[in-house]
Amino acid sequence: MIESLNQQFCIDKSISIVAGNNNLPKIILSHQSGSTAEVYLHGGHVTGWSVPGVGDVLFLSRESLFVQGKPIRGGIPICFPQFGGRGSLPAHGFARTSEWSLIHSELSDNGIVSVELQLNDTPETLAIWQHSFILKLRVLLDSRALSIELEVMNKDKQSFDFQVALHTYFSVKDIKKTAVIGLQGVTYMDALQDLAESVEFAPEIRFGRETDRVYVNTPDKLKVDDGGNARVITIEKYNVPDVVVWNPWVEKSQRMADFGNDEYLRMVCVETGRIADPVVLGHNERWEGRTVYTC
Ligand code: TA6
């Protein structure tokens, strides 16, 4: 499988497919500047993004599983067609535990390296979500930016609604020296308080306990200040209104089998999605959203 994928999609010095963890097919993107990214077909899951002089930007748990039917813990899980437990599907939906197809690879004239993956409905998805769809993921790697584009198409005759999010795990040196900036004045639903609504008063969100909040209708630019590493990651989003801020802290970390007990100290999730107000698509209609991470 890997050999045939390379025959179709390999681009010398830019894109190759290798056997990743547990021999799962992994796409490696390499930019001429030295930045790299990696994407598993399993889950359409970006598991790594590294920039010279900055280091690894995404967190990946040392305990993560790489097995069929289970999500990878870390990187950029794709939540679709449901976010969290907001419905009858498995948590965060089935996209992150499905096997995606690689459909396109490209080295653009300006040096941007990109791949496109696709997930269609399958007998397994139709058994739990009776809608025909096409979900496309585009990953674009530049010298200091990683862009993630999602496109949903309704191939059904009836309308359907969905939630979608990039559940992005950022690597930080020390959560106690980390801040999320740009959400002051925004209303959030606190998942630890039965989704009770509050308004964010802090110009910088800092962490000292389990934090699990869905910020609704947020500004399209925010920052993750990884003070311990003296680096700031900028997040810019398009057609993606909501942001989730999550750190499991001590007790929840201990309850997560695929997450080290101490790993909460070195990660923060800042997730971009459409959660509070699900997208409704009619027959043949499509939705697109994009998030650009820059360091
Ligand atoms: O995005 C925050 C959240 O919904 C938390 O409630 C927590 O459950 C986290 O996602 C991880 O979910 P997972 O199903 O990947 O363990």
Side-chain angles (χ1 to χ4, degrees), residues 138-210:
R138 284 183 285 277
V139 179
L140 301 94
L141 177 69
D142 201 344
S143 55
R144 299 186 69 89
L146 179 71
S147 301
I148 309 289
E149 299 176 356
L150 282 176
E151 181 180 346
V152 182
M153 284 171 271
N154 178 353
K155 304 313 285 179
D156 223 324
K157 296 211 179 341
Q158 293 80 23
S159 298
F160 63 62
D161 64 76
F162 64 91
Q163 297 161 323
V164 60
L166 299 176
H167 196 297
T168 305
Y169 289 69
F170 292 97
S171 173
V172 298
K173 179 87 173 182
D174 180 351
I175 188 64
K176 296 170 184 170
K177 296 178 181 172
T178 297
V180 175
I181 302 165
L183 294 170
Q184 186 175 27
V186 177
T187 297
Y188 65 86
M189 298 182 279
D190 191 334
L192 305 176
Q193 304 288 337
D194 293 328
L195 297 181
E197 289 195 2
S198 300
V199 176
E200 182 57 64
F201 68 90
E204 297 185 349
I205 299 166
R206 292 196 173 269
F207 301 86
R209 67 181 66 81
E210 182 179 356

Side-chain angles (χ1 to χ4, degrees), residues 117-128:
L117 287 72
Q118 182 169 313
L119 178 66
N120 292 29
D121 52 273
T122 65
E124 292 75 21
T125 67
L126 288 167
I128 56 175

